[in-house]
Amino acid sequence: MIESPAHPAYQNGYIDTRGQTAEPLPFSTVIIQGLATGGGLFVPQTIPQLTMAEILELAKHPYASQATFIYHCFGVDYPDAAIEVLMQASYGENFTAPEVAPLVEAAPQTFLLELMHGPTSAFKDMALQCLPHFFSVALQSSQDNAIPLHLILVATSGDTGPAAQQGFKDRPHTAVIVFYPKDGVSDIQKRQMTTLAGQNVGAVGVEGNFDDCQKAVKAIFDDPTFAATLSERGVRLSSANSINWGRLLPQVVYFVSAYARLAATGSLLPGDKIDVCVPTGNFGHILAAWYARQLGVPISHLYCASNDNHVLTDFLKTGVYDISDRPFKLTPSPSMDILVSSNLERLLFELNGRNPLLIRQWMADLASKGKFQVDSQTFAALQQVFCADWVSSEDSLSTIREVFRETGYLLEPHTAVAWKVAERLRPSTEQAVLITVTAHWVKFVEDVYRALNGLSPEQALPEEIASLTGSQLATMMQTEYKTGSLPAYLADLDKQPIRHKAISAKTDQAIRQAIIDWLDEHGY
Ligand SMILES: *Cc1c(COP(=O)(O)O)cnc(C)c1O
């Protein structure tokens, strides 16, 4: 454990962005509650400050201890020894890299932070291997433990679903059902979700797109009649999506850790400023980098990278968030195909002088007019730290090809978007940039194949390729391109029986029935 006498456990509570939380709430409460009453998001009352010495010290310790230290600094209301135990369970052999999140210098002053070594090869594992442990302990110590089952519903475009299932698998008093677009996820993602063994996990393929899944799940959360039906069975709904602070805080850890390790290995001098480029969807990941910057990590600028769905790029350039006339586009980077980036609300609150009235106004405008405009001071504060750009589907695939040719590093489509944006936005090639690698390329192997073979994103794969499973294609590509090792679970994925076969129409009624069916089958 890292001694931290300099931080007399911050008496940190959480307030919310819409000013509806009367008394600051402790960490253990906000991770169970997820969203504040009134729809606001929880933020820490105070943001701790680390000294450079404290940041550098982290590099001498295992990742679990680094995470413990950051949680301690944020005043997480569990004893340090308990946090350390939970972190060791969160970041142990379930990650295939001993550093958990290794760093690779792929080009001069271009550092890749690999966040895809968890059990589902997506960066979502970084948070979802951690949150469920804290969630279970919080349940045990709250009156909520009288509720037999906390049922977590997840709408997923492919990455969150498997990571949530893996994280909550076998956690007592919890279950997770994921809703994925039946024909809208990759072969590997679908197999990950439908084959996972575990009494408390489920998956439902929805006859619709991701948006349909998300709308249906949101409608269920807003339905008191259905909540009452579930309550009679001893079931309460919970959410584990990235508006939960318990998913954000684990992400702050790896940004601090990465800086400490870059300084420890001499890639940076202590105090040197680095820029950070993040492929952005719901804005959780890049917001975690912003919190790391507030903690004292010498981050100069944050680059917000988007794909064809570039509402954030436009917002960060104009101060106007406008989805009133914006079509939703499907791209090779589905985890960034998003129009409403929920976590932006937290940043706006932090930068508008923590004014909940302004937030309520903006969010009301978004709901009624499909757009809002921030005031000039907030906009100036945004522009001081953030810059943004977006990359077309075509360019994201050609970036995969070019980077592989030039550096031998095989990017997946989300990270490729970030790479291209970093290339465009960095002030010079001397400026150190940290780019986060958010998935293993095997999860998006079909598009990586297109990229390396010069096919466009819409082009059909040749018959002999299309007939392969994701694992088979990944193995073939590994041999052909000598890409380094594949995730171990891939070897077995095709042999696993399909355990979760449910398919549902996209109507609210059908989705509710799918939940009831699952509960019936599992004795609730
Ligand atoms: C979720 C995800 C992102 C985006 O992260 P946000 O926190 O939603 O901004 C980027 N890349 C991949 C592969 C993801 O799964």
Side-chain angles (χ1 to χ4, degrees), residues 367-385:
S368 63
K369 302 179 204 148
K371 61 175 159 184
F372 66 87
Q373 175 163 22
V374 298
D375 61 282
S376 57
Q377 270 172 323
T378 305
F379 185 52
L382 277 167
Q383 288 220 309
Q384 244 175 30
V385 182

PDB file of all heavy atoms in Angstrom, residues 367-385:
ATOM      1  N   ALA A 367     -33.537  19.051 -24.780  1.00  0.00           N
ATOM      2  CA  ALA A 367     -34.719  18.187 -24.853  1.00  0.00           C
ATOM      3  C   ALA A 367     -35.805  18.810 -25.729  1.00  0.00           C
ATOM      4  O   ALA A 367     -36.451  18.116 -26.518  1.00  0.00           O
ATOM      5  CB  ALA A 367     -35.249  17.911 -23.445  1.00  0.00           C
ATOM      6  N   SER A 368     -35.994  20.116 -25.625  1.00  0.00           N
ATOM      7  CA  SER A 368     -37.131  20.712 -26.344  1.00  0.00           C
ATOM      8  C   SER A 368     -36.772  21.157 -27.761  1.00  0.00           C
ATOM      9  O   SER A 368     -37.582  21.056 -28.668  1.00  0.00           O
ATOM     10  CB  SER A 368     -37.705  21.887 -25.550  1.00  0.00           C
ATOM     11  OG  SER A 368     -36.732  22.911 -25.433  1.00  0.00           O
ATOM     12  N   LYS A 369     -35.539  21.667 -27.953  1.00  0.00           N
ATOM     13  CA  LYS A 369     -35.190  22.210 -29.279  1.00  0.00           C
ATOM     14  C   LYS A 369     -34.127  21.379 -30.000  1.00  0.00           C
ATOM     15  O   LYS A 369     -33.745  21.700 -31.127  1.00  0.00           O
ATOM     16  CB  LYS A 369     -34.628  23.627 -29.135  1.00  0.00           C
ATOM     17  CG  LYS A 369     -35.563  24.604 -28.444  1.00  0.00           C
ATOM     18  CD  LYS A 369     -34.888  25.984 -28.336  1.00  0.00           C
ATOM     19  CE  LYS A 369     -35.473  26.790 -27.194  1.00  0.00           C
ATOM     20  NZ  LYS A 369     -34.482  27.686 -26.581  1.00  0.00           N
ATOM     21  N   GLY A 370     -33.576  20.407 -29.292  1.00  0.00           N
ATOM     22  CA  GLY A 370     -32.516  19.622 -29.917  1.00  0.00           C
ATOM     23  C   GLY A 370     -31.191  20.353 -29.967  1.00  0.00           C
ATOM     24  O   GLY A 370     -30.256  19.931 -30.655  1.00  0.00           O
ATOM     25  N   LYS A 371     -31.085  21.483 -29.252  1.00  0.00           N
ATOM     26  CA  LYS A 371     -29.786  22.159 -29.203  1.00  0.00           C
ATOM     27  C   LYS A 371     -29.682  23.113 -28.013  1.00  0.00           C
ATOM     28  O   LYS A 371     -30.696  23.507 -27.433  1.00  0.00           O
ATOM     29  CB  LYS A 371     -29.537  22.915 -30.498  1.00  0.00           C
ATOM     30  CG  LYS A 371     -30.533  23.994 -30.833  1.00  0.00           C
ATOM     31  CD  LYS A 371     -30.068  24.713 -32.088  1.00  0.00           C
ATOM     32  CE  LYS A 371     -31.229  25.429 -32.745  1.00  0.00           C
ATOM     33  NZ  LYS A 371     -30.843  26.060 -34.003  1.00  0.00           N
ATOM     34  N   PHE A 372     -28.446  23.430 -27.676  1.00  0.00           N
ATOM     35  CA  PHE A 372     -28.222  24.474 -26.671  1.00  0.00           C
ATOM     36  C   PHE A 372     -26.904  25.160 -26.981  1.00  0.00           C
ATOM     37  O   PHE A 372     -26.053  24.624 -27.702  1.00  0.00           O
ATOM     38  CB  PHE A 372     -28.221  23.892 -25.249  1.00  0.00           C
ATOM     39  CG  PHE A 372     -27.073  22.952 -24.947  1.00  0.00           C
ATOM     40  CD1 PHE A 372     -25.847  23.438 -24.472  1.00  0.00           C
ATOM     41  CD2 PHE A 372     -27.212  21.576 -25.113  1.00  0.00           C
ATOM     42  CE1 PHE A 372     -24.792  22.572 -24.188  1.00  0.00           C
ATOM     43  CE2 PHE A 372     -26.159  20.709 -24.823  1.00  0.00           C
ATOM     44  CZ  PHE A 372     -24.947  21.203 -24.363  1.00  0.00           C
ATOM     45  N   GLN A 373     -26.768  26.361 -26.438  1.00  0.00           N
ATOM     46  CA  GLN A 373     -25.521  27.111 -26.638  1.00  0.00           C
ATOM     47  C   GLN A 373     -24.988  27.508 -25.268  1.00  0.00           C
ATOM     48  O   GLN A 373     -25.722  28.053 -24.438  1.00  0.00           O
ATOM     49  CB  GLN A 373     -25.790  28.365 -27.472  1.00  0.00           C
ATOM     50  CG  GLN A 373     -24.548  29.243 -27.617  1.00  0.00           C
ATOM     51  CD  GLN A 373     -24.656  30.244 -28.735  1.00  0.00           C
ATOM     52  OE1 GLN A 373     -25.770  30.596 -29.163  1.00  0.00           O
ATOM     53  NE2 GLN A 373     -23.516  30.720 -29.227  1.00  0.00           N
ATOM     54  N   VAL A 374     -23.697  27.267 -25.029  1.00  0.00           N
ATOM     55  CA  VAL A 374     -23.128  27.655 -23.737  1.00  0.00           C
ATOM     56  C   VAL A 374     -22.735  29.133 -23.768  1.00  0.00           C
ATOM     57  O   VAL A 374     -22.543  29.718 -24.839  1.00  0.00           O
ATOM     58  CB  VAL A 374     -21.904  26.785 -23.356  1.00  0.00           C
ATOM     59  CG1 VAL A 374     -22.325  25.324 -23.208  1.00  0.00           C
ATOM     60  CG2 VAL A 374     -20.764  26.909 -24.352  1.00  0.00           C
ATOM     61  N   ASP A 375     -22.626  29.716 -22.583  1.00  0.00           N
ATOM     62  CA  ASP A 375     -22.250  31.134 -22.492  1.00  0.00           C
ATOM     63  C   ASP A 375     -20.788  31.321 -22.873  1.00  0.00           C
ATOM     64  O   ASP A 375     -20.014  30.364 -22.936  1.00  0.00           O
ATOM     65  CB  ASP A 375     -22.512  31.628 -21.072  1.00  0.00           C
ATOM     66  CG  ASP A 375     -21.685  30.866 -20.072  1.00  0.00           C
ATOM     67  OD1 ASP A 375     -22.060  29.710 -19.742  1.00  0.00           O
ATOM     68  OD2 ASP A 375     -20.636  31.371 -19.649  1.00  0.00           O
ATOM     69  N   SER A 376     -20.399  32.550 -23.104  1.00  0.00           N
ATOM     70  CA  SER A 376     -19.063  32.802 -23.661  1.00  0.00           C
ATOM     71  C   SER A 376     -17.943  32.443 -22.677  1.00  0.00           C
ATOM     72  O   SER A 376     -16.873  32.007 -23.092  1.00  0.00           O
ATOM     73  CB  SER A 376     -18.932  34.257 -24.109  1.00  0.00           C
ATOM     74  OG  SER A 376     -19.209  35.106 -23.034  1.00  0.00           O
ATOM     75  N   GLN A 377     -18.200  32.596 -21.374  1.00  0.00           N
ATOM     76  CA  GLN A 377     -17.140  32.238 -20.415  1.00  0.00           C
ATOM     77  C   GLN A 377     -16.887  30.734 -20.403  1.00  0.00           C
ATOM     78  O   GLN A 377     -15.741  30.284 -20.380  1.00  0.00           O
ATOM     79  CB  GLN A 377     -17.552  32.674 -19.012  1.00  0.00           C
ATOM     80  CG  GLN A 377     -17.094  34.083 -18.709  1.00  0.00           C
ATOM     81  CD  GLN A 377     -17.675  34.559 -17.389  1.00  0.00           C
ATOM     82  OE1 GLN A 377     -18.819  34.251 -17.063  1.00  0.00           O
ATOM     83  NE2 GLN A 377     -16.866  35.297 -16.647  1.00  0.00           N
ATOM     84  N   THR A 378     -17.971  29.970 -20.400  1.00  0.00           N
ATOM     85  CA  THR A 378     -17.825  28.512 -20.425  1.00  0.00           C
ATOM     86  C   THR A 378     -17.138  28.084 -21.724  1.00  0.00           C
ATOM     87  O   THR A 378     -16.239  27.230 -21.707  1.00  0.00           O
ATOM     88  CB  THR A 378     -19.207  27.823 -20.323  1.00  0.00           C
ATOM     89  OG1 THR A 378     -19.860  28.311 -19.152  1.00  0.00           O
ATOM     90  CG2 THR A 378     -19.074  26.316 -20.251  1.00  0.00           C
ATOM     91  N   PHE A 379     -17.525  28.726 -22.810  1.00  0.00           N
ATOM     92  CA  PHE A 379     -16.914  28.379 -24.101  1.00  0.00           C
ATOM     93  C   PHE A 379     -15.413  28.673 -24.084  1.00  0.00           C
ATOM     94  O   PHE A 379     -14.602  27.862 -24.553  1.00  0.00           O
ATOM     95  CB  PHE A 379     -17.611  29.153 -25.222  1.00  0.00           C
ATOM     96  CG  PHE A 379     -17.127  28.763 -26.588  1.00  0.00           C
ATOM     97  CD1 PHE A 379     -17.098  27.431 -26.974  1.00  0.00           C
ATOM     98  CD2 PHE A 379     -16.693  29.727 -27.486  1.00  0.00           C
ATOM     99  CE1 PHE A 379     -16.643  27.050 -28.236  1.00  0.00           C
ATOM    100  CE2 PHE A 379     -16.232  29.358 -28.744  1.00  0.00           C
ATOM    101  CZ  PHE A 379     -16.206  28.023 -29.120  1.00  0.00           C
ATOM    102  N   ALA A 380     -15.036  29.814 -23.516  1.00  0.00           N
ATOM    103  CA  ALA A 380     -13.613  30.151 -23.438  1.00  0.00           C
ATOM    104  C   ALA A 380     -12.863  29.126 -22.593  1.00  0.00           C
ATOM    105  O   ALA A 380     -11.750  28.706 -22.937  1.00  0.00           O
ATOM    106  CB  ALA A 380     -13.445  31.565 -22.869  1.00  0.00           C
ATOM    107  N   ALA A 381     -13.483  28.711 -21.489  1.00  0.00           N
ATOM    108  CA  ALA A 381     -12.836  27.723 -20.615  1.00  0.00           C
ATOM    109  C   ALA A 381     -12.653  26.392 -21.351  1.00  0.00           C
ATOM    110  O   ALA A 381     -11.620  25.726 -21.211  1.00  0.00           O
ATOM    111  CB  ALA A 381     -13.673  27.531 -19.353  1.00  0.00           C
ATOM    112  N   LEU A 382     -13.645  26.017 -22.149  1.00  0.00           N
ATOM    113  CA  LEU A 382     -13.545  24.794 -22.943  1.00  0.00           C
ATOM    114  C   LEU A 382     -12.382  24.884 -23.926  1.00  0.00           C
ATOM    115  O   LEU A 382     -11.574  23.965 -24.067  1.00  0.00           O
ATOM    116  CB  LEU A 382     -14.826  24.584 -23.755  1.00  0.00           C
ATOM    117  CG  LEU A 382     -16.025  23.923 -23.106  1.00  0.00           C
ATOM    118  CD1 LEU A 382     -17.251  24.111 -23.989  1.00  0.00           C
ATOM    119  CD2 LEU A 382     -15.755  22.443 -22.888  1.00  0.00           C
ATOM    120  N   GLN A 383     -12.323  26.014 -24.610  1.00  0.00           N
ATOM    121  CA  GLN A 383     -11.331  26.160 -25.672  1.00  0.00           C
ATOM    122  C   GLN A 383      -9.899  26.230 -25.150  1.00  0.00           C
ATOM    123  O   GLN A 383      -8.956  25.959 -25.882  1.00  0.00           O
ATOM    124  CB  GLN A 383     -11.657  27.396 -26.500  1.00  0.00           C
ATOM    125  CG  GLN A 383     -12.899  27.158 -27.359  1.00  0.00           C
ATOM    126  CD  GLN A 383     -12.762  27.754 -28.739  1.00  0.00           C
ATOM    127  OE1 GLN A 383     -12.414  28.932 -28.858  1.00  0.00           O
ATOM    128  NE2 GLN A 383     -12.997  26.967 -29.765  1.00  0.00           N
ATOM    129  N   GLN A 384      -9.776  26.609 -23.894  1.00  0.00           N
ATOM    130  CA  GLN A 384      -8.433  26.643 -23.306  1.00  0.00           C
ATOM    131  C   GLN A 384      -7.815  25.253 -23.229  1.00  0.00           C
ATOM    132  O   GLN A 384      -6.601  25.117 -23.302  1.00  0.00           O
ATOM    133  CB  GLN A 384      -8.541  27.190 -21.890  1.00  0.00           C
ATOM    134  CG  GLN A 384      -7.819  28.504 -21.738  1.00  0.00           C
ATOM    135  CD  GLN A 384      -8.045  29.063 -20.358  1.00  0.00           C
ATOM    136  OE1 GLN A 384      -8.223  28.310 -19.388  1.00  0.00           O
ATOM    137  NE2 GLN A 384      -8.035  30.372 -20.258  1.00  0.00           N
ATOM    138  N   VAL A 385      -8.651  24.251 -23.039  1.00  0.00           N
ATOM    139  CA  VAL A 385      -8.129  22.907 -22.773  1.00  0.00           C
ATOM    140  C   VAL A 385      -8.405  21.927 -23.916  1.00  0.00           C
ATOM    141  O   VAL A 385      -7.574  21.085 -24.225  1.00  0.00           O
ATOM    142  CB  VAL A 385      -8.756  22.337 -21.472  1.00  0.00           C
ATOM    143  CG1 VAL A 385      -8.187  20.967 -21.163  1.00  0.00           C
ATOM    144  CG2 VAL A 385      -8.509  23.289 -20.313  1.00  0.00           C
TER     145      VAL A 385
END
